[in-house]
């Protein structure tokens, strides 16, 4: 055992005999599981599945465990290219079967490794601290990964596969034992844990880049970035006394930077078979495997989406060995991620995919900490007694945001480094039901399970679902219009329960995982994502093709990439009424653009259909390319003649055609038998370029084969005009389209006006940067308004940001178009949060509920839904969170509110 491990071990012992096992699962969870087993076929199915998963291991002779848990340190699962086919470049992708554990099969070309054509002829021998372990690599082929040579070791990957398989086998075996009391399952788990305890202390610290440190693991762990001597690295890489990516890809039983996934499996197994182990066995496993395992985990000072797994695994070890200090190290990490890594609105600064990855590293520890009590005899002030984790408002917001950011398909938009396939798994829906029991979560569970909720369940349900659980008749998944104040993305919804369609306007500030995509627009309707974000290509060499600005739906200025610093993102208007929904945002994505602003207005005529008006204004720069890409190849064009373009097209577009039209034109895509997507353009002085561009999407993990696809890129190019306003209308229609034509209306000052001809009448829309009084002649008469947004139709008149609008016989009058003042104070609480607003009269406050309050912090403006209002003396409070629903206030000095009104 290493020095740090010894110290930890010496400090350990005081409470080791006072742990009540099981402590990760609680005795009540086992009782609940037994009740579920008695009453529900699905529960018995879960147990049978677990038995089946471990049947092979259980049936093997005594040398099996030794073969599956080698004394030689495992490598990692990534960074193992297949030199024969180079499929899935950088990582390779292989099938591995625990019943045939000595081979890997390339999923692309089918070649079996190890393979004599590709011998592992480069050898590293750990003669000093590694007891002569030999690690081998194939010396012939290498891949230059940003200057670092990757070579493959299939044998090292095979060891990694075996060891991770056996850790999870131990956990499953122990779980079957805990449920059934059948001793042979515990015996096999014991054998596995004892074997791990024997070999683990000699597992060397290494990285999946093929670097190995032949030093005592505690020295290597603590000095991973500043080694006292050279590490061994595969030639031609040269040792530099640090691991290439520090802790990020380090490990001992693993090589992925997430040693905690291994540790938490064996810790949970130990907890469940504790009663069958002798005292000596308990000590050996606790000391040489569990506490030894925390050495590397605790050495990493960073807090990121990988180290979260490691810190929380440390906490689990603390629980099972009875070390409250380790429990606190885990808890400190856990709360850091809940309160600082996740944004104050519960969303993630990285992406839905990475948010889930972080949650994957956290939730099991959260479950264990919920209801946790420190061992008897621990009397310090911070003693935990049946700790109530789920009462915490910040953690509740994390799950809320995962719910609120879903598409109607219950998948996530593929923004930043997320995948098209990313969704909220049944296990999380189950946890949300168990811990929060909201009707919408029950309905969500019903939808994500593959069968009726009362007849279907997984392992989490077995232990946690109330045996009497039933989805209630009124439970529905309803998705709301929402602007996320920290993430700064606006979600507009349409249709019954908000499930008909979703528009997302992205004004999020640049974060390391984001794309260069400020003001990107996403549209999902009638089951189809039609304005898409391509998603994430993982470590693929061509991933920049989906990160780059022209991979998004926005205006590209001067053919340049958006900047990644100081791009900001502000909200100007967010409002959601039955017929008109609007999100209006701007950013500083281009240094040369003094205005970069997009207003999206969804005009909803209910059963007749809905269309999205997109107004994009840019000032500054020389070339403005309004760009979007079609969802699939092939479209029909009407109102414009496109012909083969001469010369080269921008953004790598091939087969470019070009054209121009003074009149509105449209392109239509056939999405399925019934559904069509039509994109209308109301042109200015511009050239249209359409061609085939990069369309591959982020489909999943690196072992998903490349899907090279080209999709139509549509560009409306304006050159030499420093100011541009692009006007477009998007409609996804099922049957007859609602929109039949468009035309500009003449309007004065800093405003745009257009008329939308529909199957059922004519609508007029005026968007303005100021609240000057304007009269606009429409085909249905004069529309008079001082609003920043006015929408007039035969059925209704909508006004925002002004005092009066008139059209036909209708009139909307508001006492103010805009309210505002200073923010006098901010109070954030677990259940309620509010800002104290200067400049508000106490009467008429109730009318503010449901509106969005804009809060300015000097450089940018964000928005919060007003969930309540209150008076305390002279103090007017605008609640942004009430009874746990809503958000904390992130800070700000001034507030304002655009008032809207409506006449039908
Ligand atoms: Zn291959
Ligand atoms: Zn993107």
């Amino acid at each position: 055992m290493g020095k740090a491990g010894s110290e930890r071990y010496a400090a350990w012992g005081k409470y080791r005999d006072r742990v009540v096992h099981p402590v990760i699962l609680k005795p009540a969870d086992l009782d609940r599981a037994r009740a579920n087993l008695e009453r529900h076929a699905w529960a018995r199915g879960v147990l049978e599945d677990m038995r089946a998963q471990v049947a092979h291991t259980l049936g093997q002779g005594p040398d099996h465990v030794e073969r599956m848990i080698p004394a030689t340190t495992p490598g990692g699962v990534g960074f193992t290219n297949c030199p024969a086919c180079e499929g899935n470049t950088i990582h390779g992708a292989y099938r591995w079967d625990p019943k045939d554990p000595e081979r890997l099969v390339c999923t692309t070309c089918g070649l079996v490794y190890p393979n004599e054509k590709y011998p592992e002829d480069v050898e590293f021998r750990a003669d000093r601290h590694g007891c002569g372990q030999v690690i081998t690599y194939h010396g012939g082929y290498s891949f230059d990964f940003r200057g670092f040579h990757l070579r493959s070791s299939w044998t090292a990957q095979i060891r990694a596969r075996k060891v991770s398989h056996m850790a999870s086998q131990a956990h499953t075996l122990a779980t079957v034992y805990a449920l059934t009391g059948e001793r042979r399952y515990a015996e096999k788990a014991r054998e596995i844990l004892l074997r791990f305890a024997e070999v683990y202390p000699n597992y060397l610290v290494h990285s999946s880049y093929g670097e190995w440190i032949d030093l005592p693991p505690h020295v290597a762990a603590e000095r991973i970035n500043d080694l006292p001597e050279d590490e061994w690295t595969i030639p031609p890489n040269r040792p530099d006394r640090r691991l290439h990516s520090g802790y990020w890809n380090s490990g001992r039983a693993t090589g992925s930077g997430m040693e905690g996934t291994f540790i938490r499996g064996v810790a949970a197994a130990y907890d469940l078979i504790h009663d069958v182990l002798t005292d000596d066995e308990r000590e050996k496993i606790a000391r040489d495997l569990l506490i030894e395992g925390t050495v590397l985990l605790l050495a990493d000072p960073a807090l990121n989406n990988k180290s979260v797994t490691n810190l929380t695994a440390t906490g689990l070890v603390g629980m099972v060995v009875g070390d409250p200090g380790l429990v606190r190290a885990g808890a400190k990490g856990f709360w850091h991620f809940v309160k600082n890594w996740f944004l104050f609105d519960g969303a993630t600064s990285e992406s839905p995919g990475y948010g889930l990855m972080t949650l994957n590293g956290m939730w099991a520890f959260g479950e264990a900490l919920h209801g946790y009590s420190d061992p008897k005899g621990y009397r310090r002030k911070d003693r935990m007694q049946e700790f109530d984790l789920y009462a915490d408002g910040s953690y509740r917001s994390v799950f809320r945001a995962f719910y609120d950011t879903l598409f109607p398909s219950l998948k996530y938009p593929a923004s930043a480094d997320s995948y098209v396939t990313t969704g909220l798994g049944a296990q999380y829906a189950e946890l949300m039901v168990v811990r929060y029991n909201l009707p919408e979560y029950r309905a969500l569970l019903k939808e994500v399970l593959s069968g009726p909720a009362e007849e279907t369940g997984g392992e989490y349900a077995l232990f946690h679902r109330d045996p009497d659980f039933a989805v209630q008749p009124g439970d529905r998944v309803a998705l709301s219009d929402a602007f996320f104040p920290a993430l700064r993305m606006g979600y507009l919804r349409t249709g019954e329960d908000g499930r008909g369609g979703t528009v997302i306007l992205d004004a999020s500030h640049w974060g390391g995982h984001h794309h260069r995509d400020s003001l990107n627009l996403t549209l999902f309707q009638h089951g189809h994502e039609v304005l898409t974000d391509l998603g994430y290509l993982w470590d693929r060499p061509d991933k920049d093709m989906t990160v780059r600005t022209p991979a998004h739906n926005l205006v590209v200025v001067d053919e340049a990439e958006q900047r990644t610093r100081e791009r900001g993102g502000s909200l100007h208007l967010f409002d959601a009424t039955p017929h008109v929904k609007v999100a209006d945002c701007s950013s500083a994505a281009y240094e040369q653009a003094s205005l970069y602003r997009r207003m999206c207005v969804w005009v909803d005529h209910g059963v007749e259909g809905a269309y999205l008006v997109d107004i994009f204004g840019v000032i500054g720069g020389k070339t403005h390319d309004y760009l979007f890409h079609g969802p699939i190849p092939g479209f029909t064009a009407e109102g414009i003649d496109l012909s083969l373009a001469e010369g080269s097209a921008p953004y790598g577009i091939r087969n470019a055609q070009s054209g121009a039209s003074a009149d509105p034109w449209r392109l239509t895509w056939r999405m399925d038998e019934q559904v069509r997507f039509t994109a209308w353009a109301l042109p200015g002085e511009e050239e249209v370029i359409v061609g085939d561009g990069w369309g591959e999407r982020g489909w999943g993990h690196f072992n998903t084969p490349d899907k090279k696809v080209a999709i139509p890129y549509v560009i409306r190019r304006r050159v030499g005009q420093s100011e541009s306003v692009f006007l477009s209308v998007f409609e996804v229609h099922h049957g007859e389209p609602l929109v039949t034509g468009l035309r500009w209306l003449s309007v004065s000052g800093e405003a745009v006006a257009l008329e939308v001809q529909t199957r059922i009448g004519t609508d007029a829309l005026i968007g303005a940067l100021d609240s000057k009084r304007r009269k606009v002649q429409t085909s249905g008469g004069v529309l008079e308004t001082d609003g920043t947004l006015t929408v007039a139709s035969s059925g209704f008149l909508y006004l925002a940001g002004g005092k009066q609008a008139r059209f036909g016989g209708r009139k909307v009058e508001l006492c103010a178009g805009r309210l505002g003042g200073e923010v006098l104070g901010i109070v954030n609480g677990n259940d309620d949060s509010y800002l104290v607003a200067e400049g508000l009269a106490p009467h008429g406050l109730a009318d503010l509920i449901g509106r969005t309050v804009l809060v300015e912090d000097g450089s940018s403006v964000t928005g919060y839904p007003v969930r309540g209002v209150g008076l305390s003396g002279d103090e007017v409070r605008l609640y942004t969170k009430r009874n746990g629903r809503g958000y904390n206030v992130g800070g700000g000095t001034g507030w304002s509110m655009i008032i809207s009104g409506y006449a039908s």
Side-chain angles (χ1 to χ4, degrees), residues 414-417 514-517 520 533-535 546-548 551-552:
S415 64
D417 49 13
H514 278 279
H515 290 175
R516 298 184 286 269
D517 62 354
N520 185 42
D533 202 337
L534 295 175
T546 68
V547 172
R548 64 189 187 140
H552 297 89

Side-chain angles (χ1 to χ4, degrees), residues 71-75 120-139 151-153 155-156 159 202-207 209-216 220 227 229-235 239 243 251:
T72 304
T73 311
E120 293 188 12
D121 47 9
V122 178
E123 197 178 280
F124 162 60
R125 188 177 288 271
D127 276 328
R128 290 182 304 149
H129 301 279
C131 309
Q133 296 177 51
V134 178
I135 319 282
T136 56
Y137 285 85
H138 171 56
R151 292 188 187 280
S152 299
S153 175
T155 54
R159 292 194 299 277
N202 287 325
Y203 278 0
L204 298 169
V205 175
H206 64 279
S207 82
Y209 283 94
E211 306 156 294
W212 298 78
I213 308 174
D214 190 7
L215 281 171
L227 295 166
E229 55 183 66
D230 282 353
E231 79 280 19
W232 184 85
T233 182
I234 12 173
L243 292 190

Side-chain angles (χ1 to χ4, degrees), residues 362-502:
M362 294 168 63
W363 75 271
F365 180 70
E367 281 286 304
L369 198 59
H370 182 68
Y372 166 81
S373 301
D374 280 312
K376 268 211 177 70
Y378 183 89
R379 287 200 189 81
R380 288 201 208 161
K381 268 222 307 267
D382 64 351
R383 179 183 167 78
M384 283 186 267
Q385 185 67 39
E386 292 178 35
F387 182 70
D388 187 0
L389 179 108
Y390 290 98
D392 180 82
S394 305
Y395 198 40
R396 183 170 50 207
S397 295
V398 169
F399 288 101
R400 189 74 219 174
F402 274 116
Y403 175 84
D404 282 337
T405 52
L406 287 163
F407 267 150
S409 60
L410 305 184
K411 294 273 188 261
Y412 291 102
S415 64
D417 49 13
S418 222
Y419 304 118
V420 175
T421 47
T422 304
L424 196 63
Q427 179 162 292
Y428 286 128
E430 190 86 55
L431 182 151
M432 288 156 71
V433 170
V434 167
R435 301 305 178 192
Y436 303 110
N437 199 24
L438 297 173
E440 59 268 38
Y441 291 173
R442 291 195 296 265
L444 176 71
L445 176 63
K446 183 179 163 187
E447 287 197 41
V448 297
L449 285 173
S450 44
E454 293 76 10
E455 296 165 27
T456 322
E459 197 179 321
Y460 180 88
L462 176 61
F463 290 99
H464 301 285
R465 189 193 287 173
D466 184 337
D468 292 324
F469 169 77
V471 175
Q472 302 301 310
D475 294 349
R476 304 175 75 91
V477 174
L479 301 172
S480 330
D481 307 286
F483 185 81
F484 291 87
L487 180 65
R488 301 197 184 187
M489 284 197 194
Y491 277 64
L492 300 174
R493 311 285 194 173
T494 187
E496 196 180 2
D497 293 331
R499 301 287 297 274
T502 300

Side-chain angles (χ1 to χ4, degrees), residues 82-87 94 106-111 113:
C82 172
C85 73
E86 296 193 295
Y94 301 89
C106 174
T107 57
T108 307
C109 70
L111 203 68
Y113 291 96

